[in-house]
Amino acid sequence: MKKYVCLLIILGMFFSLIGCANNNTTNNQGGTDVTDNGGTTPEDTTEEPDLANLKDGEYTAQGEKREQGSEEATVKIDGGKITEITLRRLDAKGNEVNYDMWTGEERDGKTYPNLKEYRIEMANRMIEAQSYNVDSISGATQSCESWKLAVKRALEQAAQ
């Protein structure tokens, strides 16, 4: 009988912990990143650009502007395919940041994401997938989501 009571108590505690769990984490810049978002943003609820009819050329667009700046993407289309993507982080004045300052190291009590590496990794993921809709990199969720939006907007220009 005691075994069954103990088992019920353990199961009750287990299910309580599962019910209380959430996927929000606090990032080192004081904000909250939602890490289990399935790679989508509110903007992703609209239709994806028609990638079958992309016009060759180079297209530049920005993600959402924030107080600290924004992300920008230049997408090169050749033969109707995404052949090159350059992702940039812009400061509040619209100037490209010094990526040597964004290497994942702690400065002034804050750890800045390794955008020097992440922007290249995100671009490669999108080129390989031939889509902006790829998984974000944990630790730089906000920048990755904004880069994805910038690439989506550039692809929309190429699809017109």
Side-chain angles (χ1 to χ4, degrees), residues 4 8 20 41-42 49 57 65 68 75 78 86 117 125 129 142 148-149 159:
Y4 293 114
L8 287 174
C20 292
T41 65
K65 292 187 180 192
Q68 306 89 355
V75 179
D78 190 19
T86 303
E117 181 182 311
R125 286 181 183 188
Q142 190 175 35
K148 288 167 37 175
L149 178 58

Side-chain angles (χ1 to χ4, degrees), residues 144-155:
C144 290
E145 293 299 317
S146 190
W147 279 325
K148 288 167 37 175
L149 178 58
V151 170
K152 177 184 177 190
R153 289 174 174 172
L155 292 173

Side-chain angles (χ1 to χ4, degrees), residues 8 31 34 38 65 76 85 93 97 100 118 120 159:
L8 287 174
V34 178
K65 292 187 180 192
K76 186 174 182 181
I85 298 175
K93 295 179 182 175
V97 301
D100 291 331
Y118 294 167
I120 295 167

Side-chain angles (χ1 to χ4, degrees), residues 44-112:
D44 289 333
T45 58
T46 61
E47 282 187 37
E48 186 163 336
D50 182 10
L51 300 179
N53 296 310
L54 297 176
K55 296 179 194 144
D56 289 355
E58 198 169 279
Y59 304 90
T60 299
Q62 287 189 345
E64 291 299 322
K65 292 187 180 192
R66 300 180 307 277
E67 184 178 322
Q68 306 89 355
S70 63
E71 281 71 31
E72 182 177 80
T74 300
V75 179
K76 186 174 182 181
I77 306 296
D78 190 19
K81 301 281 185 194
I82 302 169
T83 58
E84 187 177 325
I85 298 175
T86 303
L87 302 175
R88 290 175 288 284
R89 172 79 166 96
L90 307 177
D91 64 18
K93 295 179 182 175
N95 300 313
E96 190 168 6
V97 301
N98 176 357
Y99 297 105
D100 291 331
M101 302 295 290
W102 291 81
T103 58
E105 297 173 5
E106 185 177 328
R107 287 189 328 274
D108 302 323
K110 295 181 182 178
T111 301
Y112 293 83

Side-chain angles (χ1 to χ4, degrees), residues 14-33:
F14 176 74
F15 288 114
S16 294
L17 288 174
I18 290 175
C20 292
N22 70 36
N23 291 322
N24 291 343
T25 59
T26 302
N27 67 26
N28 290 330
Q29 288 141 355
T32 300
D33 289 339

